Every structure is written in structure tokens, then in C-alpha cells.
Amino acid sequence: MVFAVQRFPKPEFETGYLQPGTLLPSPRAEILAAMDVAILVLALSVISWIVLKKRSRKGVFWMSLFSLIYFGFYREGCVCSIGSIQNITLALFDHTFILPLTVIAFFIIPLIFTLFFGRTFCAGVCPFGALQDLVAFRPQKLGSRLNAVLGMVPYIYLGLAILYAATGTDFIICRYDPFVGIFRFNASFGMFVFAGILLISGIFIARPYCRFLCPYGVLLNWVSRFSRRHITITPAECIQCRLCEDSCPYDAIDIPVTTKDPENRKIRVKKLIWISLLIPFLTFAGGWTGSRLHITLAGVNSKVRLAEEILTPAAGQGQPESLGLTAYKSSGKAAEEVYSEASEILDRFYNGGWILGGFIGLVFGWVIAERMLSKWHTDYIPNKGACYSCARCVDFCPVKTDLSEIKHEKT
Amino acid sequence: MPTRREFLNTLVRGSILAGLGLLSGALIFRKGKERECGFDFNCKNCPRSNDCLLPRPLESRQMVWQLDPSRCIQCGRCATDCVLTPSAVKCVHVYAMCGYCDLCGGYFKPGTKVLDTAAENQLCPTNAIKRKFVEDPFFEYTIDEPLCIGCGKCVKGCSAFGNGSLQLQVRHDRCVNCNQCSIARNCPSGAFSRVPASNPTLLRGFDQKQTTTNIKQ
């Protein structure tokens, strides 16, 4: 393609005409990006202090409102920790992709805070969570079975997002981001409907995006299980009053399992054998299915699509030529080059399909295993993985102070 | 005395922390294939730091979206696919390349007989190009940026019949810098890419440094 040819020479003006300069506005100053990271760290510190030390639901509420306004409506949602998964993945697979330090910070810092304090990020820093928390007026219990089934979706979403980011195809988390259009007041019709469905169903099913879609929540869930500290329902000993039982809108309170050994040894061994056979089988079956689907999965990749269009021209049947084909023709690229690029991407999708399918199968097996094996514990405790540290349950506990500590001070 | 479970938890926590540290360290300090610096990555003493296109190694290396006019086929999606209305992509006039033609391929519809500013003669659907007489036979063309929707009709005309001084660019005072640019996703020629925020324009065919004014926001 010929571009920018000097067909007409620059005129020599005689009237003293001064040629104006072309204005090129600069992007947002880099110092402001550093400020975003500073505010992220500050917000995480404050929310962790509110949750763990102050144990105040009101504090969590005001903090989440601040984050909704700053990270949501002021910063307009980009870059967020959820989306940063894709940037990190792409950077790991594509060495020419340059990763800004702020993106690394937005990915790593909430994970580190979660590792020490539980998912306080979800409680009061993530604007998505804050928005949904505001509308959770009439939360209903879903039941553990439905929770487990729907809870599988984020793993699939995470796997797909990583596959598409690693192959340089698309950032699907950003593409199907329901709330960024609300933060910017310019959602497309489809996304507006999606956000509407989430927010209206969010009145009854609290935080539907966080629980049944959020891919970053998967990572936070894993990390939070090993957190050093975590919000507790009671400041001292649980008195088994059952007042907090229905307080959690997210079904994240584990009720006591008091029978220590509900079944005899024989059944238990049988179960363990079942699980140890089931998990490898599901992993392999998932991987095999994923690899069979790799051509379907790769269908959305623009390079693969272009190669298909070159191979089977649709223009012959009276249809207009696609813009991608027009662009390819004007670029003067050889068809072989496009084919080799496309087949390389298909190879990646084949391997990625195995890994993605295997991962989904493994998660399936894991969820089944977790439900088969009961874990003995006596108290009402927040499930460290699923709890968003919103501190609602704290107000339901009649035990207000740790009596043992007071005694300790007196002596 | 920690229980066995607490000990295991601490162990896993430590390894997660180490893993996160390794990951971020690798991502921060790695050297990509294309990031070869003829100097020593120490930009302070570099004689060429002003026209360096490499992202700086340890600065914040913010990236912004930009489109490469030499790959653009003026399909019109910039006008329709941006999350903003009107689009953050606008036509930019590089005066230094302009031939100041009376019969401007970017201003007039092909086949226009009378070269005047009548609406039916104009290529621009929003009347965003202003034509002003300078001296015989030269005319100055200015983009009224608030009116421009970034459709690229004038760009097509100018690059087909003129010098190619009209070029589409992402305007960074408008662009909200989405993590994944929605125009980039649908651009048929792959003209969009992330460029360093310190050097955020991709105008083609002339020396940028001499003929443009950068305005800081």
C-alpha cells in the first residue's frame, strides 16, 4: 500500500502565512498512575484495619462507597485487578508485550493483602463488589448444591480468559465486563442489559458477579484459604447461639459439623478410593474434550479467521468481501505467512484446550470431593475461601468482647 | 506451640508469597526480545533518549493505544466501535505535509465541479473541515475537532489523491485507555497497538519532532 506520497510540493507562501503546528495532546500523566497504586495500597490497609481491628460493618460500607466512587466512577474502571489477569498472562506468553508497572501492582498487591488478611479487597476496594453490595437488599439462601454448581462457572471463565489472553486473541474479561459501562455511563445495549440482570438479580442473590463469574475471585479464594488472619464472626468463643446462621448474604458461613466421624472406616476408605479414581479420570476426560474443541475455540481469533477467509473466499457468492480480507490485500502480505501464523495459533489452542479442559475437569473433581468429605468443626466460622469480609455477621453475634482478654488485663 | 495445621498453613502461605514475588520480579526485570537498547538501559546519559521508542526499563512504562496510519484502511470502524461517542479517534492534520491544494481530495467529494464550501460538495459528514483561503492558489484546511467523528472519509480521500497529510490518531485527551481497546479488537488491519505514553503518537511520513507542538494537559 502506498502511503503518504508527496504528490504536491509544499507551497512557498508569499504573503507571510505562518504554517500552524499540529496539536498533539498528551495522555494522562504517569504520576497519576502511581497515585492510583498508592491509593490502592492505602485503601487496602484501611479496609483491612476496619475489618480485623474495628470489626465495623459501617466502616466497610463507607470504604466500599469511596472505592466505588474513586476506582469506579472517577477512574472509570481501568485498569482493574480482574482485568489485569489477562495482561499478566499475555506478558508471560508474549515477550514483546510491555507490561506497565501499575498493572503488575494491581494484580499482585490485592493478592498479598488477601494472603495476610483475607478477602478484604472484595469487601471494600473492588468497585464491582461495592456496586453489588449496595443493592443486596433481600438476599436469599441458594443451598449448598446450587452454590457449588454455579460456583464452578468462575473457574471456567478464568480458564477461558487465560487461554484467550495467552493466544493473544482477546481480553474476554474486559469484553464482557458488565459494570464498566455503568461507571462510564456509556454501556452498549447488550452490556447494559447484562448489568441490569446482574444488579436486579443481585437484590435477591447477593453479589452474583463476584460469586458466580469473577475470575479474580478464584485466585483470591485460593489465596485466602491460607490467610494469616481472617475476620471472625465472634470476637471470643462461639456460644453456639445460631443467631449468625442466616446473617451471611453469600452463604459463606460454615455451620458446625459436630459428629466427628459420621461414617465408619470402611465407607471412608471406599470414598477416598472413589475420589482418587474420579479426579484423574475427570481431568483426562476434560482435557480430551478441550482438545477436541480447539478449532471451535480458535474460531474467534482474527488471524485464524483471516486464514479461513483466504482459503474459502465468500465473495464469489455475491457477498461483499470482508474488511479483514480488504486490509490483508492492501497490506501485500503473502498468503503463506498468514497460514503459518494461523496454524501456529491453532497449535497453541490445541495445547491450551488440553490444559483448559484438564483444569476444568480437575476443578469438577475437586468440588465433588470436597462435598463428599465432611470436615469436623464445632463453631460457626466464615468459610475462608468464600467470605468477602463484609462484616455483616459481626453485628449478629451477641458476644461483644473477648472476656478472656479482659480477665487477662485485670490480673 | 503451633498445631500441625497452622504449620502447614504457614508453609503454604510462605510459598505463595515467594511465588508472587518471583512472578512480579520476573515481570518487572525481564528483558523482552524486542527491547534491545544499543546503550545500557540507563536513559539518563543516553544521547538518543529524546527519540527513543523503547519503553523505559524501570520507569512506570505506561502504555496507551495508538493507531498506525500506514496500516489503516479507513474502514470507518473507529467512528463506530469506540466506547466513547463521538470516538476518541480523530482526524489530525499534519500541516507540514499538506500541499494546500485548491482541489483537496480530503475536502471535496470526487467529481465536485465547483470548488466552494457548499455542503453537498464536502466529503466530511459533519462539516468538521474548515477551508480558508490563504493566497492564490492555496487553501488552508483545519479540523474542527469537536465536530470530527473519526470516520476517516477525508483521510481516504487525502491519501488517495493528495499528500496523506490527514491521518487518523487516537486523541489522548479523550481516550479513556481501556485495558482492551474496543476499536483495536475490531480493527480489520491490526493498525492499533499499545505505544509508550512518553511517545504517544504514530504520525507517518514526516519528522514529528520539528513540526508539532506537544501540549501538556
Side-chain angles (χ1 to χ4, degrees):
Chain A
M1 186 170 60
V2 197
F3 181 77
V5 207
Q6 196 76 19
R7 292 193 180 91
F8 306 97
K10 212 177 135 194
E12 279 166 27
F13 298 106
E14 284 157 8
T15 50
Y17 164 78
L18 272 181
Q19 178 187 284
T22 305
L23 288 182
L24 299 172
S26 302
R28 190 168 179 264
E30 302 206 351
I31 186 79
L32 290 174
M35 197 181 78
D36 284 344
V37 176
I39 288 180
L40 175 75
V41 173
L42 203 71
L44 278 165
S45 313
V46 170
I47 191 71
S48 301
W49 174 74
I50 290 173
V51 167
L52 293 170
K53 283 276 169 205
K54 295 290 282 179
R55 300 170 56 78
S56 153
R57 168 68 201 148
K58 222 178 225 170
V60 173
F61 173 79
W62 288 113
M63 194 60 217
S64 71
L65 209 60
F66 163 79
S67 298
L68 180 63
I69 290 164
Y70 185 80
F71 292 112
F73 289 102
Y74 169 67
R75 285 296 302 124
E76 300 183 325
C78 268
V79 57
C80 76
S81 302
I82 308 172
S84 71
I85 299 171
Q86 304 161 119
N87 302 51
I88 301 280
T89 312
L90 184 54
L92 288 174
F93 283 85
D94 177 2
H95 284 271
T96 59
F97 181 76
I98 297 143
L99 199 59
L101 296 183
T102 42
V103 176
I104 303 177
F106 267 79
F107 179 73
I108 295 281
I109 292 170
L111 285 173
I112 291 176
F113 267 83
T114 305
L115 193 58
F116 285 94
F117 308 114
R119 295 171 71 171
T120 49
F121 171 77
C122 302
V125 179
C126 178
F128 285 35
L131 186 63
Q132 293 172 85
D133 222 48
L134 282 183
V135 299
F137 296 117
R138 293 270 177 277
Q140 307 294 317
K141 285 224 173 294
L142 286 185
S144 69
R145 198 169 294 168
L146 192 57
N147 261 322
V149 172
L150 288 176
M152 220 98 89
V153 180
Y155 291 91
I156 301 171
Y157 197 16
L158 174 69
L160 279 173
I162 288 179
L163 176 68
Y164 281 128
T167 51
T169 305
D170 201 353
F171 280 11
I172 57 168
I173 301 174
C174 299
R175 181 172 205 161
Y176 301 110
D177 180 340
F179 299 121
V180 77
I182 291 186
F183 295 147
R184 293 174 178 165
F185 301 109
N186 63 5
S188 66
F189 179 71
M191 282 302 114
F192 184 73
V193 170
F194 185 27
I197 291 172
L198 283 178
L199 288 179
I200 291 168
S201 66
I203 298 173
F204 308 104
I205 308 162
R207 290 206 192 209
Y209 185 87
C210 306
R211 281 157 81 190
F212 308 127
L213 278 170
C214 182
Y216 194 63
V218 171
L219 305 181
L220 291 174
N221 184 319
W222 288 340
V223 168
S224 181
R225 285 167 195 235
F226 303 102
S227 68
R228 186 180 168 82
R229 300 191 55 190
H230 194 276
I231 190 172
T232 51
I233 301 172
T234 169
E237 290 273 298
C238 178
I239 54 170
Q240 312 280 338
C241 64
R242 301 183 60 189
L243 283 174
C244 65
E245 207 173 53
D246 295 324
S247 67
C248 184
Y250 315 116
D251 299 345
I253 293 179
D254 285 340
I255 53 172
V257 183
T258 40
T259 42
K260 188 157 189 179
D261 205 357
E263 62 240 349
N264 62 37
R265 205 185 150 82
K266 225 176 189 178
I267 299 177
R268 215 174 159 77
V269 169
K270 225 179 205 174
K271 268 188 181 174
L272 280 174
I273 292 171
W274 253 106
I275 288 168
S276 59
L277 288 174
L278 185 74
I279 289 184
F281 170 75
L282 280 177
T283 310
F284 181 79
W288 186 81
T289 320
S291 69
R292 293 299 103 179
L293 288 172
H294 78 280
I295 289 177
T296 319
L297 288 169
V300 290
N301 187 292
S302 59
K303 282 177 184 159
V304 174
R305 223 163 37 196
L306 177 62
E308 266 170 18
E309 273 167 4
I310 299 171
L311 276 172
T312 51
Q317 291 105 45
Q319 285 166 332
E321 174 182 273
S322 82
L323 284 170
L325 213 53
T326 316
Y328 153 74
K329 280 178 184 165
S330 72
S331 71
K333 219 173 172 182
E336 282 68 35
E337 206 179 325
V338 179
Y339 295 153
S340 73
E341 270 179 0
S343 71
E344 199 178 301
I345 290 169
L346 274 178
D347 282 346
R348 282 209 214 164
F349 266 97
Y350 180 75
N351 296 333
W354 266 106
I355 298 170
L356 170 72
F359 170 71
I360 293 171
L362 182 69
V363 170
F364 264 60
W366 183 260
V367 170
I368 293 170
E370 255 193 346
R371 292 180 60 77
M372 276 168 82
L373 300 173
S374 58
K375 266 192 208 145
W376 171 80
H377 64 97
T378 52
D379 298 342
Y380 284 86
I381 47 171
N383 183 308
K384 275 176 105 177
C387 170
Y388 299 120
S389 300
C390 73
R392 280 192 180 81
C393 53
V394 168
D395 292 341
F396 285 79
C397 186
V399 183
K400 288 299 171 204
T401 43
D402 193 345
L403 287 172
S404 62
E405 255 175 37
I406 292 172
K407 269 182 207 159
H408 190 72
E409 274 167 22
K410 274 179 185 168
T411 49
Chain B
M1 186 69 194
T3 63
R4 187 173 59 177
R5 174 162 242 168
E6 277 166 7
F7 175 72
L8 282 175
N9 261 358
T10 314
L11 213 64
V12 176
R13 194 180 318 125
S15 36
I16 292 177
L17 202 61
L20 289 178
L22 275 177
L23 176 72
S24 46
L27 288 172
I28 293 169
F29 293 107
R30 68 160 186 193
K31 284 182 192 166
K33 270 182 207 156
E34 307 249 312
R35 298 181 54 214
E36 276 170 22
C37 171
F39 210 54
D40 56 357
F41 279 103
N42 185 2
C43 307
K44 268 182 194 150
N45 311 319
C46 182
R48 297 182 52 213
S49 73
N50 275 336
D51 44 45
C52 179
L53 282 171
L54 291 169
R56 303 299 150 85
L58 268 179
E59 285 171 30
S60 72
R61 55 188 189 204
Q62 286 300 308
M63 305 299 277
V64 290
W65 289 98
Q66 192 50 276
L67 84 97
D68 181 350
S70 65
R71 302 182 74 172
C72 172
I73 60 159
Q74 297 94 33
C75 64
R77 284 191 185 164
C78 287
T80 54
D81 288 19
C82 183
V83 295
L84 300 175
T85 330
S87 171
V89 173
K90 302 262 180 192
C91 176
V92 170
H93 192 189
V94 185
Y95 294 98
M97 291 169 72
C98 183
Y100 289 83
C101 317
D102 185 9
L103 173 56
C104 171
Y107 187 82
F108 292 111
K109 277 184 186 158
T112 301
K113 296 221 167 61
V114 189
L115 302 183
D116 60 12
T117 55
E120 70 269 22
N121 296 338
Q122 289 184 28
L123 207 50
C124 180
T126 58
N127 188 24
I129 306 179
K130 302 291 178 244
R131 170 180 153 103
K132 201 178 91 191
F133 176 73
V134 179
E135 61 181 61
D136 202 45
F138 303 127
F139 286 82
E140 184 196 89
Y141 298 91
T142 317
I143 313 277
D144 185 356
E145 222 167 81
L147 288 181
C148 176
I149 55 167
C151 66
K153 287 195 168 78
C154 57
V155 178
K156 193 165 211 139
C158 180
S159 41
F161 306 115
N163 288 350
S165 65
L166 294 172
Q167 305 187 6
L168 287 177
Q169 285 286 284
V170 174
R171 295 308 251 173
H172 296 297
D173 51 345
R174 286 187 51 75
C175 177
V176 290
N177 206 15
C178 299
N179 196 19
Q180 169 70 51
C181 171
S182 68
I183 311 175
R185 179 187 293 139
N186 297 329
C187 175
S189 55
F192 275 74
S193 61
R194 295 175 178 88
V195 298
S198 49
N199 202 343
T201 45
L202 281 174
L203 293 167
R204 295 297 184 189
F206 81 110
D207 185 4
Q208 271 188 45
K209 286 282 177 300
Q210 289 169 7
T211 41
T212 54
T213 5
N214 281 291
I215 48 164
K216 295 271 178 213
Q217 267 190 296

